[in-house]
Amino acid sequence: MTHGPRFPDLIARLPATVPFVGPEEQERASGHVLRARLGANESVFGPSPKAIAALQAADQEIWKYADPSHFELKTELSKRLGCGHGNIVFGEGIDGCLGYLVRLLVEPGDAVVTSDGAYPTFSYHVNAYGGVLHKVPYRDDAEDIAALFAKAAEVDAKIVYLANPDNPMGSWIDGATIEAALDDLPEGTVLALDEAYIEFAPEGTAPKIDPEDPRVIRFRTFSKAYGMAGARVGYAFGAEPLIKAFDKIRNHFSMNRSAQQAALAALLDDAWLAEVRGRVNSARERIAAIAEANGLTTLPSATNFVAVDCGGDGPHARAVLEGLARHGVFVRMPFVAPQNRCIRISAGTEADLDILAEELPKALAEARETVA
Amino acid sequence: MTHGPRFPDLIARLPATVPFVGPEEQERASGHVLRARLGANESVFGPSPKAIAALQAADQEIWKYADPSHFELKTELSKRLGCGHGNIVFGEGIDGCLGYLVRLLVEPGDAVVTSDGAYPTFSYHVNAYGGVLHKVPYRDDAEDIAALFAKAAEVDAKIVYLANPDNPMGSWIDGATIEAALDDLPEGTVLALDEAYIEFAPEGTAPKIDPEDPRVIRFRTFSKAYGMAGARVGYAFGAEPLIKAFDKIRNHFSMNRSAQQAALAALLDDAWLAEVRGRVNSARERIAAIAEANGLTTLPSATNFVAVDCGGDGPHARAVLEGLARHGVFVRMPFVAPQNRCIRISAGTEADLDILAEELPKALAEARETVA
């Protein structure tokens, strides 16, 4: 034996590559300045001005730890969700909450089901805890709830993951469809319903599910419609036996104090949320118009981003994405065929989309040259 | 089988009680307003004014995710620590970093060594990952490094935990003593050296250890001397093979964006750090004087808190603590005899300590009545 750490096999076998390269790292690596930040589905419109004011007020007390029970935020949220404090748990973004869920349920070798090409951070957590991922293909650029639940039954999954609306395609499933599908959710499988983008979706997209229904746990965030991605405030809600279990393992003092107070202010400002929805809607229309002006089509979206079909295969879309990056526009794209024919463009300000309108034709022309 | 989550045995067996009750929760439960917040070793003197200014400036961009590679902060820190970016990893406070370390090394059944009565959050993580804790008693109110390392050899520990300076007693071990003791650290055991309070300690308390030494990983924080407990910025540094492994499992986007920028500003303001050290020194002296005026003794401290010997046993100290709480003074106390003869009082402002001076005699009198 030599001095130093002895890693368990599970850890030793995990990939050493860092899976999450931020735009700042891309800038440092490439030397290109990203003038339009349209790749991470952040809300360029920012949070409620009242949330900013709450941040500024709270900053003076940053020397204090935050309340680890998140009492005030839970009080307001429980009213809105029609549940009790015991049905809600906060974490370091939905990413943090998903990690805790996987840790609570998945032992090495346990089966977990997701869609091939769905949110990679969920899969990252499953792999890192030794779960075995079973992936179901998208169907018509949407997550296929029937196939997901059938696969969960087949492999006796501990968790089945469904994002509604979906990222990266922007598609969505009607809430009533999810409610009906729950009859087919196998016993012993928990549905992890990621609703990060739910505030952008049409009325009726969120299913009506009793918070005490033990089959489902839902995830929401202040990172998207509430415009506070940098704050790291996400939460899960569901039946108390599962939610309470988070307290056994979570980092109780992980949340930023100012962020918590700003989240409460953001939650209370329904007018700002409506304003953001309107701006996102306009941005989606403008992205569609820009795409159309370049001979491209876009997919319908219930989110703050639009999947633009670049009219070719994955390598072609990748070339368009890389061209945009060279021209200062940060976007991302799906990982898996045939969804990777698209690039994913976040709703931007008018100024952001002016840059997109200017640079997309160049990136497309360069991509066609490259492939030709 | 019924519908709902299937918890692994490890999770099902963990205690359901919430181990971390914050002062806000104490206030809600008791109805007493806490007028002096001296229980969590927060820095009442706050962070550098430049850190506050950095927070305020960054708040406007809270809609952006933080840089998950923490590039700017690592650049400055690596200069100060004499190491590379690859030797540093950030997390959600030291608590977050300790959790990741345990996850990286400890499988169910693996042995881990700590002191009986030492930092409970470390033990919480070990229990929650199924590790088996072996505890060594304090010796003269200090952690006993020789006994810790001997126990680590005896049980073939994956990790041995040492806080220097120690929490909750405020004692410390000379850096040279730690350097010499490393010769006796068993092969295959990693020393987790928690230096949360190191900035308050006498010159020479931090051992000189090559950052690439595979035997040691060190933990530091912006929560104590840098006055940013509510921001949640902690870090670990050590040899690259261990530090890089954190990237396999950590929540890459867990850190608050404004907090990260404020931490950089705080780090650069050495004058403020010196100012805080001076104020903490004065506060320690005043706590000792208040204790002496009440016929109590205090322990020497290399931290921003003072252990006050209440002159009796654990129940007596507990009664003093509860009396202080009734009178609006929030303090904490050690968990284990004979250290639990003490209460632990954080360095406060002059106004905080005026309240302490006024209320301690009442709490002591009430405690003597209760016990008598």
Side-chain angles (χ1 to χ4, degrees):
Chain A
M1 201 191 301
T2 54
H3 273 300
R6 288 177 283 171
F7 295 114
D9 282 348
L10 168 63
I11 298 294
R13 284 199 313 262
L14 291 174
T17 50
V18 174
F20 308 103
V21 179
E24 296 84 0
E25 190 65 34
Q26 288 186 30
E27 284 183 322
R28 287 188 292 267
S30 72
H32 299 117
V33 174
L34 295 169
R35 293 178 292 142
R37 188 171 163 120
L38 303 175
N41 303 338
E42 298 156 326
S43 185
V44 298
F45 309 114
S48 158
K50 292 173 185 166
I52 299 274
L55 282 179
Q56 305 268 330
D59 286 342
Q60 298 294 337
E61 298 211 315
I62 199 70
W63 60 272
K64 296 180 182 176
Y65 288 103
D67 171 14
S69 54
H70 314 118
F71 185 85
E72 292 180 15
L73 202 41
K74 279 187 187 170
T75 298
E76 178 59 28
L77 205 51
S78 61
K79 277 188 240 167
R80 289 169 180 251
L81 298 173
C83 66
H85 281 215
N87 298 109
I88 306 169
V89 62
F90 280 88
E92 311 84 8
I94 287 181
D95 287 0
C97 295
L98 287 173
Y100 290 131
L101 177 72
V102 173
R103 182 175 164 195
L104 281 175
L105 295 179
V106 175
E107 289 182 293
D110 280 349
V112 175
V113 171
T114 186
S115 300
D116 196 14
Y119 191 51
T121 305
F122 176 73
S123 301
Y124 166 79
H125 288 310
V126 173
N127 286 327
Y129 284 109
V132 178
L133 278 167
H134 299 268
K135 296 185 176 180
V136 166
Y138 278 62
R139 183 188 180 97
D140 299 332
D141 295 321
E143 296 198 43
D144 184 346
I145 191 168
L148 285 165
F149 287 13
K151 178 60 78 174
E154 179 194 326
V155 300
D156 188 26
K158 285 278 191 82
I159 306 173
V160 57
Y161 175 87
L162 174 71
N164 188 47
D166 171 69
N167 172 21
M169 302 313 289
S171 53
W172 66 102
I173 299 170
D174 187 71
T177 303
I178 296 175
E179 291 160 27
L182 282 179
D183 291 341
D184 300 321
L185 187 71
E187 291 191 2
T189 299
V190 171
L191 170 61
L193 182 59
D194 183 342
E195 301 184 311
Y197 297 95
I198 195 70
E199 295 86 359
F200 300 115
E203 190 75 21
T205 305
K208 291 181 187 67
I209 299 173
D210 185 335
E212 282 297 346
D213 190 325
R215 298 174 296 180
V216 184
I217 181 170
R218 303 165 82 153
F219 298 85
R220 294 192 184 169
T221 183
F222 287 86
S223 298
K224 303 301 178 187
Y226 290 101
M228 293 172 44
R232 311 319 300 130
V233 185
Y235 60 98
F237 63 107
E240 215 169 293
L242 179 53
I243 294 296
K244 286 275 191 194
F246 281 71
D247 276 342
K248 296 179 167 188
I249 60 157
R250 71 184 179 93
N251 181 358
H252 288 252
F253 287 91
S254 69
M255 194 167 300
N256 184 283
R257 182 184 177 91
S258 307
Q260 198 176 148
Q261 301 194 14
L264 179 57
L267 193 59
L268 291 168
D269 193 348
D270 293 307
W272 180 255
L273 190 63
E275 169 73 25
V276 168
R277 278 201 203 99
R279 293 195 199 179
V280 164
N281 198 46
S282 300
R284 287 195 305 227
E285 287 172 6
R286 175 118 194 259
I287 293 169
I290 292 168
E292 195 183 2
N294 285 277
L296 306 180
T297 57
T298 53
L299 278 63
S301 170
T303 66
N304 71 336
F305 59 84
V306 177
V308 176
D309 185 334
C310 290
D313 57 5
H316 174 65
R318 168 72 49 197
V320 176
L321 177 145
E322 288 171 356
L324 283 171
R326 282 193 305 274
H327 291 286
V329 181
F330 167 52
V331 302
R332 290 201 193 271
M333 65 180 288
F335 302 102
V336 173
Q339 283 70 46
N340 68 357
R341 73 190 187 280
C342 299
I343 57 173
R344 192 196 69 180
I345 304 180
S346 307
T349 61
E350 284 296 317
D352 291 330
L353 298 182
D354 288 346
I355 296 172
L356 177 70
E358 194 181 317
E359 305 301 344
L360 182 59
K362 300 177 195 167
L364 278 169
E366 289 165 18
R368 281 169 192 143
E369 255 173 51
T370 312
V371 177
Chain B
M1 199 192 302
T2 53
H3 273 301
R6 287 177 284 172
F7 295 113
D9 283 347
L10 167 64
I11 298 293
R13 283 198 313 264
L14 290 174
T17 51
V18 174
F20 308 103
V21 179
E24 297 83 2
E25 189 65 33
Q26 289 186 30
E27 285 184 322
R28 286 188 293 267
S30 70
H32 300 117
V33 174
L34 296 170
R35 292 177 294 142
R37 189 172 162 120
L38 303 175
N41 303 337
E42 298 156 328
S43 186
V44 298
F45 310 112
S48 158
K50 291 174 186 166
I52 299 274
L55 282 179
Q56 305 267 331
D59 286 341
Q60 299 294 338
E61 297 210 317
I62 199 70
W63 62 271
K64 297 180 182 176
Y65 288 102
D67 172 13
S69 55
H70 314 118
F71 185 85
E72 292 179 15
L73 201 40
K74 279 189 186 168
T75 298
E76 179 59 28
L77 205 51
S78 60
K79 277 188 239 164
R80 289 167 180 252
L81 297 172
C83 66
H85 281 216
N87 297 108
I88 306 169
V89 62
F90 280 89
E92 311 84 9
I94 287 180
D95 287 359
C97 295
L98 287 172
Y100 291 131
L101 177 72
V102 173
R103 181 174 166 197
L104 280 175
L105 294 179
V106 176
E107 289 182 293
D110 280 350
V112 175
V113 171
T114 186
S115 300
D116 196 13
Y119 191 52
T121 306
F122 176 72
S123 301
Y124 166 79
H125 288 309
V126 173
N127 287 327
Y129 284 109
V132 177
L133 278 168
H134 299 268
K135 295 184 177 182
V136 167
Y138 277 62
R139 183 189 180 96
D140 299 333
D141 296 321
E143 295 198 43
D144 185 345
I145 191 168
L148 286 164
F149 287 13
K151 178 62 78 177
E154 179 194 326
V155 301
D156 189 25
K158 284 280 191 81
I159 305 174
V160 56
Y161 174 86
L162 175 70
N164 189 47
D166 171 70
N167 174 19
M169 302 313 289
S171 53
W172 67 102
I173 300 170
D174 187 72
T177 304
I178 296 174
E179 292 160 27
L182 282 179
D183 291 341
D184 299 321
L185 186 73
E187 290 190 4
T189 300
V190 170
L191 170 61
L193 183 59
D194 182 342
E195 300 184 312
Y197 297 94
I198 195 69
E199 296 86 359
F200 299 114
E203 189 76 22
T205 305
K208 290 182 187 67
I209 299 172
D210 184 335
E212 282 297 346
D213 189 325
R215 298 174 296 179
V216 185
I217 180 169
R218 304 167 82 154
F219 298 86
R220 294 191 183 170
T221 183
F222 287 86
S223 297
K224 304 301 178 187
Y226 290 101
M228 292 172 46
R232 314 318 300 130
V233 184
Y235 60 97
F237 63 106
E240 215 169 294
L242 178 53
I243 295 297
K244 286 274 191 194
F246 281 71
D247 276 342
K248 294 178 168 188
I249 59 159
R250 72 184 179 93
N251 181 358
H252 288 252
F253 287 91
S254 69
M255 194 166 300
N256 184 283
R257 182 185 176 91
S258 305
Q260 197 176 147
Q261 300 193 15
L264 179 57
L267 193 61
L268 291 168
D269 193 349
D270 294 306
W272 179 255
L273 190 63
E275 170 73 25
V276 167
R277 277 201 203 99
R279 293 194 198 179
V280 164
N281 198 47
S282 301
R284 288 195 304 226
E285 288 171 6
R286 175 118 194 258
I287 293 169
I290 293 169
E292 196 183 2
N294 285 278
L296 307 179
T297 57
T298 53
L299 278 64
S301 170
T303 66
N304 70 336
F305 59 85
V306 177
V308 176
D309 186 335
C310 290
D313 57 5
H316 174 64
R318 167 71 51 195
V320 176
L321 176 144
E322 288 170 357
L324 283 172
R326 282 193 306 275
H327 291 286
V329 181
F330 168 53
V331 303
R332 291 200 194 271
M333 65 180 289
F335 302 101
V336 174
Q339 282 71 48
N340 67 357
R341 71 190 189 282
C342 299
I343 57 173
R344 192 195 69 180
I345 304 179
S346 306
T349 62
E350 285 296 317
D352 291 329
L353 298 183
D354 288 346
I355 296 171
L356 176 69
E358 194 181 319
E359 305 301 345
L360 181 59
K362 302 176 196 168
L364 277 170
E366 290 165 18
R368 282 170 192 143
E369 256 172 53
T370 312
V371 177

